[in-house]
Amino acid sequence: MTDTRNPAHRVDVTFIGRANIDLTIQVPHRARPGRTAKGSPLTVSAGGKSLNQAIAAARHGGQAALIANVGADAWGHHITTTLSGAGVDTRHIRLIPGASTGAAIIEVTPDGESYITLALSPATELTTDDINHATAGLTTQAVVVQLDLPPEPVTTLLSHRRAPILIGNLVPHPHLDPALLQRLDILVVNQHEAAAILRTTTDDPVNAAVALRRLGPPAVIVTVGQHGAAYSHPHGTGTVPAPTVQAIDTTGAGDAFLGSLALDLARNTPLHDAITTAVRTGSHTVQHISAHTPARETS
Ligand SMILES: OC[C@H]1O[C@H](O)[C@H](O)[C@@H]1O
């Protein structure tokens, strides 16, 4: 697909990862074993971490591109339509004939917590060829990559610097070579992911950020949901608290954080300011039912 508004193919942030359909229901509680629970009517919407991140960056006024594969089916077309409607550059969304677009089954409980199970098709995983093809000739300030993609394309991507700023978002992956973390400028993980990488449980996200930095990335951010984020980078270590809000749906809050962060960094905002805005963006998102961030608030 071609974005005729941006013929030079120059974007602020390129997100590389997955797009799928979110099948979401609000439930009073999760079903107990052997029981059936009744939830709200089903909501069908475009989702996936990288898609949510790209939409967040676009809604904040950035030029965002997404590199991902979907099936050439009704869901795949729904995804490209949603992205185009949000102003995301979709020229590197590949619609694969015969493949089924992946889905995320999402239950949201009254406290806003989301429970997600992915049903992904191997046929829509990004390949090394996809990465090489999509990034050739791409001019972008920042790249955000989902590190849980298949290892070969991730290794290829991290082996050649494609942008001044390289951000990795880690959902723990058993095949990820820890040496690859050294190629990142910034690693962004949530507390659970941090604990999985460090193979330890720590209640202190600042300690986790410091420990993760020892693995190589010059800057590490650990998101802590309603508590905001902890960070460690060459100029400081600390926390950015989140405002107190009523969470309705936390799905995609981390993605909104990352989309906002990446866009601000691409625009040369100092890291601490970018984290502060990203925390606010995540908090804003949880107050709405949807994995997508609303437009950036001006106040
Ligand atoms: O981070 C939220 C996203 O995770 C899952 O991938 C869902 O698709 C959802 O949109």
Side-chain angles (χ1 to χ4, degrees):
M1 307 194 96
T2 308
D3 182 347
T4 50
R5 292 160 305 171
N6 187 17
H9 204 177
R10 202 178 288 275
V11 294
D12 295 314
V13 190
T14 300
F15 297 88
I16 302 177
R18 294 203 182 92
N20 53 256
I21 287 290
D22 285 354
L23 303 173
T24 305
I25 52 171
Q26 267 76 45
V27 293
H29 55 78
R30 302 197 74 203
R32 296 188 179 84
R35 305 276 184 89
T36 301
K38 273 193 184 156
S40 67
L42 184 70
T43 305
V44 180
S45 57
K49 292 187 188 306
S50 299
L51 177 144
N52 299 337
Q53 293 160 11
I55 287 181
R59 290 215 169 136
H60 292 175
Q63 288 276 1
L66 177 61
I67 299 175
N69 290 338
V70 295
D73 52 14
W75 281 357
H77 289 288
H78 179 64
I79 284 170
T80 56
T81 305
T82 302
L83 286 163
S84 301
V88 175
D89 179 341
T90 59
R91 79 186 73 199
H92 293 299
I93 303 292
R94 201 153 70 87
L95 291 134
I96 300 183
S100 303
T101 298
I105 317 295
I106 305 178
E107 292 174 283
V108 182
T109 48
D111 57 0
E113 198 57 67
S114 64
Y115 298 83
I116 305 177
T117 306
L118 291 177
L120 301 176
S121 161
T124 57
E125 290 287 31
L126 281 171
T127 65
T128 301
D129 278 354
D130 291 329
I131 302 281
N132 286 335
H133 183 256
T135 54
L138 179 72
T139 306
T140 188
Q141 266 305 108
V143 162
V144 179
V145 57
Q146 284 302 131
L147 297 172
D148 65 320
L149 293 173
E152 195 192 319
V154 171
T155 305
T156 302
L157 180 73
L158 297 187
S159 302
H160 308 281
R161 179 161 281 272
R162 264 111 171 159
I165 303 169
L166 181 55
I167 302 174
N169 183 209
L170 191 69
V171 178
H173 193 288
H175 305 300
L176 185 74
D177 177 356
L180 291 176
L181 294 177
Q182 297 173 11
R183 300 183 189 267
L184 298 172
D185 298 308
I186 304 175
L187 173 68
V188 181
V189 291
N190 68 30
Q191 240 180 331
H192 309 292
E193 293 155 1
I197 303 166
L198 295 168
R199 295 175 197 274
T200 172
T201 49
T202 168
D203 286 340
D204 186 338
V206 175
N207 285 347
V210 171
L212 287 169
R213 260 187 81 204
R214 290 197 199 104
L215 300 180
V220 174
I221 300 170
V222 178
T223 57
V224 242
Q226 62 182 340
H227 301 297
Y231 61 88
S232 180
H233 56 74
H235 307 294
T237 289
T239 57
V240 174
T244 304
V245 297
Q246 175 83 39
I248 296 174
D249 180 359
T250 56
T251 314
D255 304 332
F257 176 98
L258 198 41
S260 167
L261 179 89
L263 177 63
D264 278 346
L265 294 178
R267 295 185 163 176
N268 297 321
T269 303
L271 183 56
H272 191 274
D273 295 348
I275 297 173
T276 302
T277 303
V279 165
R280 277 215 313 267
T281 304
S283 300
H284 188 41
T285 303
V286 302
Q287 296 174 70
H288 303 81
I289 294 179
S290 168
H292 300 166
T293 183
R296 180 174 277 181
E297 285 182 321
T298 47
S299 59

